[in-house]
Amino acid sequence: MAKKSSIEKNNRRRRLTKKFSGRRSRLKEIAGDKTRPMEERFAASLKLAQLAAQRIGHAHPQSLRGDRPSARLLPQAQR
């Protein structure tokens, strides 16, 4: 049997999916419409990414890039 917290998390996901389904479909329609201006389509795709980031608990879509701070700390190759 699943833990109560897992059941609640799944229920919360269902509620959020239902809540934002209309907004997501409108944004997807705008982002895929080739007759609209490029700026409008780009803005819609950014809003769509922001909705997805909020659903998984990130505040900004930039945090989904996969930046690895540890990779920046590696010693540079000697020339």
Side-chain angles (χ1 to χ4, degrees):
M1 183 164 183
K3 294 191 300 186
K4 188 171 184 174
S5 61
S6 297
I7 294 170
E8 288 300 318
K9 186 186 287 188
N10 286 334
N11 289 339
R12 183 179 51 111
R13 287 178 181 159
R14 286 189 185 110
R15 282 193 311 268
L16 285 175
T17 301
K18 188 176 182 179
K19 179 180 179 180
F20 291 114
S21 65
R23 186 181 300 175
R24 279 184 49 81
S25 64
R26 285 193 305 272
L27 288 172
K28 285 175 105 175
E29 183 180 321
I30 292 171
D33 188 3
K34 301 288 185 185
T35 61
R36 292 187 184 258
M38 185 64 144
E39 294 84 14
E40 189 177 348
R41 292 173 46 213
F42 184 68
S45 66
L46 285 178
K47 288 179 186 176
L48 192 60
Q50 191 173 21
L51 270 179
Q54 287 173 352
R55 277 191 63 205
I56 60 173
H58 294 288
H60 302 287
Q62 290 84 8
S63 62
L64 300 175
R65 285 186 298 182
D67 257 354
R68 296 178 303 148
S70 60
R72 286 181 276 177
L73 300 176
L74 293 175
Q76 299 296 325
Q78 305 246 340
R79 295 180 193 187

